């Protein structure tokens, strides 16, 4: 379905898709600065905090892999509407998390399960409207909508938790209030969307229907680019604050750091168009530099170094998101676009394991070493993408 074919209402559907992506992304990081509050309330170890943050990815995996193919077969909004209900339900589950560790894990898992469908299917919906020729435009729209939500969610929850009432309740209610009109807008346009019908139905398994050259490009370029997308900011917002145990107002600072990191991912989107095929390699290189600066903050406890590392990691993740989505839009046929986006986001959320890996085997006083290892891995990835990306495009 090309942009302009939706019963004369393409612009409305474009903004509805962006609005739902924003609202879902907003909610995924509402718990991020609150993890420090849960750490005190439930006496949690740093590795437990990283595990709570990362279990989100376990919920994402089945949702991403099955939600995209389901939307290819049955239509985008038929998957997006129940997913939106699930995202709202996850925020409500968090309301009991302060008294039960297991509920935090359940809520985070459900949040991933529902959000994954929105990210993959919402991105495919934008690609449907833009068409293959508008793949870069759809990638920018999806990247901006998600990055803005990722940015404002933790900023809002961090400030409320530090200075407002009901710190473990009000942030989630704000998210639900934001999500309701976004889901309502999807319901209003649901009647003008339909299943994608320009190719064979592929069932409900993730089979994007890529040609052999496209499959090679996907494996060699899209997948490593995708892993960088969330590996960079997830480390920034969960590991880097642990380097500053003595800072006052740490919860508010974590919210601000998340906003700075993920907001930078939004602000770099216009530069992706100018970078062209260099977008992915430059993004990975910025991530490597960010890990290096973060490693410097470990022995010094410098707030400035942590902030600079957050900016670099956010910029790197944002550029990799744009580069990956642009390639997916160009490589995948319309009938397999939902499945291709699902596979892309599945690879992207592998990056959510990085905070756990960084904290599971060393103490807080030794975090410099895993950060240096991650920086070296990102530098190698940047070099690999620089060799492969130009040939792919």
């Amino acid at each position: 379905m090309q942009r302009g074919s939706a019963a004369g209402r393409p612009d409305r559907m474009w903004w509805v898709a962006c609005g739902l992506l924003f609202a879902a992304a907003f909610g995924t990081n509402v718990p991020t600065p609150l993890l420090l509050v849960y750490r005190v309330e439930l006496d949690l170890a740093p590795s437990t905090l990283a595990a709570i943050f990362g279990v989100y990815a376990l919920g994402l995996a089945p949702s991403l892999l099955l939600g995209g193919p389901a939307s290819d077969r049955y239509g985008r909004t038929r998957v997006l509407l129940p997913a939106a209900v699930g995202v709202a339900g996850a925020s409500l589950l968090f309301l009991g998390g302060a008294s039960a560790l297991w509920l935090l894990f359940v809520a985070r898992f459900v949040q991933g399960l529902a959000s994954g469908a929105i990210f993959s299917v919402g991105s495919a919906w934008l690609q449907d409207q833009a068409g293959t020729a508008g793949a870069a435009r759809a990638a920018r729209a999806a990247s901006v909508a998600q990055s803005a939500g990722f940015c404002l969610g933790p900023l809002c929850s961090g400030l409320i938790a530090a200075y407002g009432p009901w710190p473990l309740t009000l942030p989630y209610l704000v998210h639900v209030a934001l999500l309701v009109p976004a889901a309502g807008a999807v319901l209003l346009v649901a009647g003008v969307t339909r299943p994608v019908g320009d190719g064979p139905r592929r069932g409900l398994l993730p089979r994007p229907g890529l040609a052999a050259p496209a499959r090679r490009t996907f494996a060699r370029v899209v997948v490593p680019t995708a892993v960088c997308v969330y590996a960079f900011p997830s480390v920034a917002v969960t590991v880097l604050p642990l380097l500053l145990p003595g800072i006052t107002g740490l919860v508010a600072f974590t919210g601000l750091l998340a906003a700075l990191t993920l907001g930078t991912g939004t602000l770099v989107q216009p530069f992706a168009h100018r970078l062209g095929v260099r977008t992915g390699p430059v993004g990975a290189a910025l991530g490597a530099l960010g890990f290096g600066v973060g490693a410097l903050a470990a022995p010094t406890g410098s707030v400035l170094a942590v902030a600079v590392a957050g900016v670099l990691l956010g910029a790197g993740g944002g550029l990799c998101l744009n580069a990956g989505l642009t390639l997916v839009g160009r490589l995948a046929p319309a009938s397999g676009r939902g499945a291709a986006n699902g596979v892309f986001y599945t690879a992207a959320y592998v990056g959510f394991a990085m905070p756990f890996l960084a904290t599971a085997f060393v103490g807080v006083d030794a975090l410099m070493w895993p950060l240096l290892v991650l920086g070296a891995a990102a530098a190698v990835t940047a070099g690999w993408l620089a060799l492969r990306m130009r040939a792919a495009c």
Side-chain angles (χ1 to χ4, degrees):
M1 180 167 52
Q2 304 296 317
R3 191 167 189 257
S5 65
R9 295 191 280 182
D11 292 329
R12 180 184 299 181
M13 292 175 63
W14 184 267
W15 288 107
V16 167
C18 289
L20 186 62
L21 285 170
F22 169 82
F26 184 101
T28 61
N29 277 328
V30 165
T32 300
L34 305 182
L35 290 176
L36 297 172
V37 181
Y38 293 126
R39 181 184 183 186
V40 174
E41 293 286 334
L42 300 173
D43 191 24
L44 304 178
S47 58
T48 304
L49 294 182
I52 295 170
F53 186 82
V55 76
Y56 170 82
L58 295 180
L60 282 165
S63 176
L64 290 169
L65 291 175
L66 300 178
S71 75
D72 290 335
R73 186 178 180 93
Y74 300 114
R76 308 302 184 204
T77 57
R78 291 184 180 181
V79 175
L80 289 172
L81 285 171
V85 173
V87 170
S91 282
L92 296 178
L93 283 173
F94 272 110
L95 299 181
S99 59
L101 176 60
W102 68 269
L103 195 55
L104 289 178
F105 279 98
V106 170
R108 190 68 171 154
F109 179 84
V110 173
Q111 189 176 60
L113 193 66
S115 299
I118 291 179
F119 295 147
S120 61
V121 178
S123 297
W125 197 13
L126 286 173
Q127 291 164 357
D128 290 343
Q129 297 172 66
T132 303
R137 181 172 181 265
R140 284 196 301 273
S143 300
V144 168
Q146 291 176 81
S147 298
F150 291 144
C151 164
L152 294 178
L155 176 62
C156 177
S157 66
L159 293 177
I160 290 174
Y163 306 113
W166 315 318
L168 297 180
T169 300
L170 187 57
Y172 300 111
L173 296 180
V174 169
H175 173 239
V176 172
L178 179 67
L179 187 65
V180 167
V186 175
L187 184 62
L188 289 176
V189 302
V192 299
T193 64
R194 60 184 185 273
V196 179
D198 62 343
R201 289 194 173 189
R202 307 182 190 279
L204 297 180
L205 295 178
R207 298 172 181 170
L210 301 176
R215 284 199 302 271
R216 288 193 293 270
T217 298
F218 201 100
R220 296 174 181 177
V221 178
V222 175
V223 170
T225 301
V227 173
C228 295
V229 169
Y230 295 130
F232 297 164
S234 66
V235 170
V237 301
T238 59
V239 177
L240 295 186
L242 297 174
L243 304 177
L244 306 170
I247 190 171
T248 57
L250 187 55
V251 175
F253 175 79
T254 302
L256 290 171
L257 176 64
L260 183 67
T261 299
L262 298 162
T264 304
T266 306
L267 296 176
V268 297
Q269 295 306 315
F271 297 97
H273 178 69
R274 300 177 185 178
L275 289 170
V277 297
R278 295 172 294 168
T279 302
V282 170
L286 287 175
L289 187 58
F291 284 132
V293 175
L296 293 177
T300 63
S302 169
V303 175
L304 178 60
V306 167
V308 171
V311 167
L312 291 170
L313 290 166
L319 289 177
C320 287
L321 178 61
N322 186 293
L325 286 175
T326 299
L327 270 176
V328 169
R330 289 173 179 167
L331 294 172
S335 61
R337 200 169 279 148
N341 277 280
V343 175
F344 168 77
Y345 280 108
T346 300
Y349 279 105
V350 169
F352 267 64
M354 299 307 164
F356 180 78
L357 294 177
T359 58
F361 305 107
V362 300
V364 172
D365 57 346
L367 286 174
M368 177 179 68
W369 302 110
L371 288 173
L372 288 174
V373 170
L374 289 173
V380 171
T381 302
W384 170 263
L385 292 178
L387 293 174
R388 294 289 182 178
M389 187 72 81
R390 186 172 298 275
C393 298

